[in-house]
Amino acid sequence: MVKHTHRIGILGSGNIFGRYVTGLARWPELRIVRVGDIDVARAKQAAVEHEIPAWGDDAELYADDTVDILVNLTPPVHHARTVIAALEAGKHVYVEKPLATNVAEGRTVLEAAAGGGRVLGAAPDTFLGSASQTLRRAIDSGAIGTPIGASAFISHSKAETWHPNPAFLFQEGGGPVMDMGPYYFAILVNALGPVRSVSASSRIGAPTRTVTAPDRAIDSVDVTVPTHAAAVLTFASGVIGTTQMSFDVWDTDLPAMEIYGTEGTLSLPNPNHFDGDVRLRRHGDTDWTVLEPAVELFGAVGTREQARRGLGVRDLATAVEGGPHRANASFAFHVLEALCAVEDSSRSGRTVRLESTCERPEPRYSA
């Protein structure tokens, strides 16, 4: 629980800005006071639209001493530089996923956070939602016995049809692994513990993407990162996970995520959402059982409320006050290293053993 008011500045007023404003509005103790963007006109427009009192460029946001938490919504290629700048300016920082675009940058960010005495948190925060917490409770209570395996399937969000400028999704820091993979890998690590090794193969599908969004800013994108990847994750616990991450699979009947144990199976809804039905089917059951949510819902299932963000920022504010920090930097770095290992393994043709590890975050539900 957050006991004090925290003044928040948001860096970046692009596509997901409104989702954070809407989500954070649930908690009056998290007060947005400034918007920063290299495009000052866009920052002003966002501030006026959402009744935020101050705006300006990124330097003005770093220099604003009234801001104690900076929420970084810049494109992934700018994460490392801007996170370090914010930490050096004395801000606590919550950054959108991924933590950085590669492992070396991620280590630099961790070092900056460790040396500055500020708290660094990172998306994704959907593993804090009711669905993932219900999954975690079921596993920890032995509902499926000993976990043996897991499967996760990422299909295309069809961003070319709705995003005005989806170029970043097909360039460095993007692709299905780095864009959608963090949601899935974070939930798997939260549920099953750290990853020990990754073996993978990936490729570029269509080399050029045609943008058909009605308000498009560009007409096409040249693809420079793999858009279809398959990976086997071996967890430190011995669980074996099978994943497919693709921007070339437009339609599918595959499940989003399943966990298999010695006594049953758990099925999870879209890991990009906070809530939804978690289903359990134990060996011998004639049908699936929908489990009671382990924690309160973040928003109404099947509505746009599932697209809003902010639970991770509240988690950071709790940590600033001395509470548990679940979406923390070491967790995010381990997820980043696992994601980067997918491309490293594909490129080298070898299994990649991870150097980092992390603790499973403290669950949000009461045991």
Side-chain angles (χ1 to χ4, degrees):
M1 178 178 294
V2 179
K3 300 177 181 178
H4 306 289
T5 298
H6 293 270
R7 295 167 62 88
I8 294 171
I10 299 181
L11 178 63
S13 53
N15 187 59
I16 63 172
F17 175 84
R19 302 184 190 184
Y20 273 86
V21 173
T22 302
L24 291 172
R26 297 186 61 190
W27 303 292
E29 66 271 22
L30 302 180
R31 182 182 172 197
I32 303 172
V33 297
R34 178 178 282 274
V35 183
D37 200 302
I38 57 172
D39 184 340
V40 177
R42 187 167 70 172
K44 179 180 179 180
Q45 180 181 356
V48 171
E49 179 180 350
H50 295 282
E51 299 182 342
I52 297 168
W55 64 85
D57 62 20
D58 52 344
E60 290 174 292
L61 175 51
Y62 298 142
D64 189 340
D65 292 335
T66 68
V67 171
D68 62 304
I69 294 176
L70 185 144
V71 177
N72 188 333
L73 307 184
T74 62
V77 293
H78 301 301
H79 282 181
R81 174 182 59 82
T82 53
V83 166
I84 292 171
L87 291 168
E88 290 178 344
K91 314 299 184 191
H92 304 292
V93 179
Y94 182 83
V95 61
E96 250 300 331
K97 50 82 185 168
L99 179 68
T101 58
N102 58 62
V103 172
E105 281 188 350
R107 287 198 181 98
T108 302
V109 170
L110 287 188
E111 291 169 0
R118 292 294 181 266
V119 181
L120 172 61
D125 57 357
T126 50
F127 79 90
L128 300 173
S130 71
S132 185
Q133 292 296 309
T134 303
L135 175 75
R136 169 75 178 266
R137 183 177 65 179
I139 291 172
D140 290 351
S141 68
I144 59 170
T146 301
I148 301 296
S151 63
F153 300 99
I154 299 172
S155 58
H156 195 16
S157 64
K158 305 179 183 180
E160 300 99 306
T161 66
W162 56 266
H163 198 295
N165 187 357
F168 71 99
L169 293 172
F170 301 97
Q171 297 167 356
E172 182 184 6
V177 175
M178 298 300 283
D179 180 57
M180 293 301 296
Y183 299 107
Y184 289 69
F185 279 38
I187 285 176
L188 287 170
V189 172
N190 177 62
L192 302 170
V195 178
R196 185 173 66 211
S197 64
V198 175
S199 179
S201 185
S202 64
R203 59 163 291 180
I204 291 176
T208 303
R209 301 294 176 121
T210 300
V211 181
T212 60
D215 57 345
R216 62 187 176 274
I218 57 175
D219 293 320
S220 65
V221 178
D222 291 329
V223 180
T224 60
V225 294
T227 53
H228 188 91
V232 174
L233 313 182
T234 301
F235 291 81
S237 64
V239 175
I240 298 173
T242 305
T243 64
Q244 177 179 286
M245 298 163 277
S246 184
F247 282 171
D248 296 292
V249 175
W250 282 62
D251 300 287
T252 178
D253 288 325
L254 291 168
M257 183 181 293
E258 293 179 339
I259 311 292
Y260 314 108
T262 55
E263 298 177 20
T265 297
L266 285 159
S267 179
L268 194 74
N270 187 347
N272 190 21
H273 295 167
F274 291 93
D275 311 295
D277 288 347
V278 176
R279 300 181 300 149
L280 167 67
R281 188 164 182 173
R282 291 173 57 84
H283 298 343
D285 288 351
T286 58
D287 206 348
W288 295 89
T289 298
V290 176
L291 300 179
E292 287 293 323
V295 297
E296 74 284 352
L297 273 60
F298 187 65
V301 178
T303 73
R304 290 186 61 82
E305 289 182 354
Q306 288 297 303
R308 64 189 181 185
R309 293 293 185 258
L311 197 53
V313 181
R314 188 168 185 260
D315 177 65
L316 174 68
T318 301
V320 169
E321 296 182 7
H325 193 194
R326 299 174 176 90
N328 60 67
S330 63
F331 179 86
F333 177 78
H334 182 70
V335 169
L336 171 66
E337 187 183 8
L339 293 166
C340 290
V342 173
E343 181 58 19
D344 291 347
S345 175
S346 178
R347 188 184 303 112
S348 66
R350 297 191 297 269
T351 297
V352 174
R353 191 175 183 92
L354 273 63
E355 296 182 7
S356 71
T357 187
C358 68
E359 299 290 333
R360 292 172 80 207
E362 182 179 322
R364 290 185 62 222
Y365 63 85
S366 299

